[in-house]
Amino acid sequence: MKKLIKWILGIGSIFLCIVLAIGLIYGTKGYFLYQGVIKDNPLSQLVEGIESKQHYTPYEELPEFYIHAVVAVEDHRFQQHHGVDPIAICRAAWNDIKTLSFAEGGSTITQQLAKNLYFTQEKKLERKFAEIFVAFDLERNYTKKEILSLYVNTIYFGNGCYGIYDAAQKYFGKSPKELTPYESAMLAGIPNAPSAYSPSDNPELAEQRLRQVLKRMEACGVITKTEITNILEESPH
């Protein structure tokens, strides 16, 4: 038994050393990548450019239901973390190890915003570390409300729609502040897979995704089963 315990501890120590070495190597590469993009395009300038756009929708004009829906499906610990969610990262890493892929990233809303501002969808470890450094900058310099509004004004909703204003106009012919709970939940679910969940292209899949959003909101304690039933009654189908 003692030999088995020693063997397990030995394997664990080797694995930990490998993980730390990989983290050091790619973390360093990521830091230099971060330094480069920040130097070429200062964060404050990018943010000012986004906020100055004609149809930029500030936090105060976002429906409360939409805000709750986005946080529930994208990053339910958004208010608690400082840019990175260690719990989500560990869960994603474990799932990635089991599937031998990088299918999950454990990204917070802040990290996703960092990626939208500076990086591509390319799944490289150095890019992931660089994204984390930008996320820390965002959290240091902007409030949670500012980060969330920047996020929903830059994400892709399919059909050429970037940002919540264009999406609300395209799919429902109204401004974001006029969205109903049903419409808000629908839009909150689209960015996960814009082509698949587009209400105009795939209404059935969009409806399924909407139900997932509502279930997630219920699991987070934001709404009740009764409220879900009432919201689904809005469905045009």
Side-chain angles (χ1 to χ4, degrees):
M1 187 65 180
K2 289 183 179 179
K3 288 184 178 180
L4 177 60
I5 292 174
K6 287 182 179 180
W7 183 81
I8 292 173
L9 289 175
I11 294 297
S13 297
I14 293 171
F15 179 75
L16 180 59
C17 288
I18 293 172
V19 170
L20 290 175
I22 291 173
L24 180 60
I25 293 169
Y26 286 96
T28 301
K29 289 182 177 181
Y31 180 75
F32 285 118
L33 176 58
Y34 149 77
Q35 288 284 348
V37 298
I38 289 292
K39 182 180 179 181
D40 293 340
N41 294 288
L43 182 59
S44 60
Q45 290 184 15
L46 286 184
V47 170
E48 287 172 10
I50 294 167
E51 293 179 335
S52 66
K53 290 183 178 179
Q54 183 179 3
H55 295 303
Y56 181 84
T57 305
Y59 185 92
E60 292 72 23
E61 293 182 18
L62 295 171
E64 185 177 5
F65 193 93
Y66 175 70
I67 293 170
H68 287 315
V70 171
V71 171
V73 296
E74 297 293 342
D75 181 8
H76 71 280
R77 282 184 289 272
F78 177 62
Q79 294 296 338
Q80 285 75 50
H81 65 66
H82 299 288
V84 175
D85 184 352
I87 297 174
I89 288 176
C90 290
R91 184 189 65 245
W94 175 243
N95 289 332
D96 287 344
I97 289 171
K98 289 192 296 183
T99 59
L100 299 177
S101 70
F102 288 106
E104 287 192 46
S107 293
T108 63
I109 284 174
T110 314
Q111 287 175 260
Q112 291 181 57
L113 173 60
K115 180 173 62 179
N116 292 343
L117 291 175
Y118 286 107
F119 307 109
T120 66
Q121 300 294 327
E122 189 177 24
K123 294 182 181 296
K124 285 189 173 182
L125 280 177
E126 57 263 41
R127 196 274 296 163
K128 192 69 177 178
F129 278 103
E131 174 189 296
I132 289 173
F133 288 120
V134 175
F136 286 150
D137 269 1
L138 283 164
E139 293 276 344
R140 277 195 299 268
N141 294 288
Y142 300 94
T143 66
K144 290 290 186 178
K145 289 182 179 180
E146 289 172 327
I147 290 171
L148 185 62
S149 59
L150 286 165
Y151 171 72
V152 302
N153 277 276
T154 55
I155 49 178
Y156 185 55
F157 289 87
N159 283 296
C161 299
Y162 284 90
I164 183 62
Y165 182 88
D166 287 351
Q169 287 288 328
K170 170 68 178 180
Y171 297 120
F172 302 112
K174 56 178 66 173
S175 66
K177 62 182 178 182
E178 299 172 315
L179 293 169
T180 66
Y182 178 90
E183 294 164 345
S184 293
M186 179 74 77
L187 292 184
I190 295 175
N192 181 258
S195 298
Y197 297 135
S198 166
S200 57
D201 297 335
N202 301 298
E204 291 184 2
L205 281 178
E207 180 83 13
Q208 289 177 24
R209 176 60 178 163
L210 175 144
R211 290 172 182 269
Q212 291 174 357
V213 171
L214 295 176
K215 283 292 185 182
R216 183 62 188 153
M217 292 178 74
E218 181 192 359
C220 291
V222 181
I223 57 175
T224 64
K225 281 186 169 63
T226 300
E227 288 175 305
I228 290 177
T229 300
N230 293 335
I231 291 168
L232 291 175
E233 288 178 357
E234 291 183 40
S235 174
H237 305 297

